[in-house]
Amino acid sequence: MTGCSAQPVSGSSAPPPVSPPAAASPEKVVLENFVGDKLDDVEHALDLLKLKHEAVSGDGKKVLVASNWTVTGQDPAAGAEVKTGSTIRLTVAEAASPSSAPTSTPRPLATSAGAAG
């Protein structure tokens, strides 16, 4: 069939292209409570929310490995509404080492007292 092309016929008006709304306001997010969470998990969550972050230790130590630190404070606080791109300040402390966790003590095997053969 000739004359069946996908091109619009001259004189016909094609719909204008759709464009995003002009000057859209920045997206806002509500902060959750990160206190008590591992720093590396919090940084990942903030990255997904498109928020910047800075970690500061309460005792002046430099944060080198995020998984070794626990969040002890945050600014702005949990529940605050912030714009994407905002910086969240995280106060951190060194996480407790796994060696400080209690370990189970091995128990002796049970033996039968009067079973002589």
Side-chain angles (χ1 to χ4, degrees):
M1 292 174 41
T2 59
C4 292
S5 71
Q7 303 262 339
V9 179
S10 65
S12 70
S13 61
V18 177
S19 59
S25 63
E27 186 178 331
K28 293 184 178 183
V29 295
V30 176
L31 289 179
E32 59 185 89
N33 184 10
F34 296 114
V35 174
D37 294 340
K38 291 182 76 172
L39 178 59
D40 56 341
D41 294 336
V42 173
E43 288 178 334
H44 180 70
L46 293 174
D47 289 341
L48 292 175
L49 294 171
K50 299 178 182 161
L51 295 170
K52 298 174 189 170
H53 44 82
E54 64 178 355
V56 180
S57 74
D59 58 5
K61 293 183 180 178
K62 187 170 176 77
V63 176
L64 297 177
V65 180
S67 62
N68 292 342
W69 296 84
T70 301
V71 176
T72 59
Q74 67 186 70
D75 183 31
E81 188 175 89
V82 296
K83 294 178 184 177
T84 54
S86 298
T87 300
I88 310 306
R89 184 178 172 96
L90 303 167
T91 306
V92 297
E94 285 185 278
S97 65
S99 62
S100 65
T103 58
S104 61
T105 322
R107 291 180 284 186
L109 296 175
T111 58
S112 55

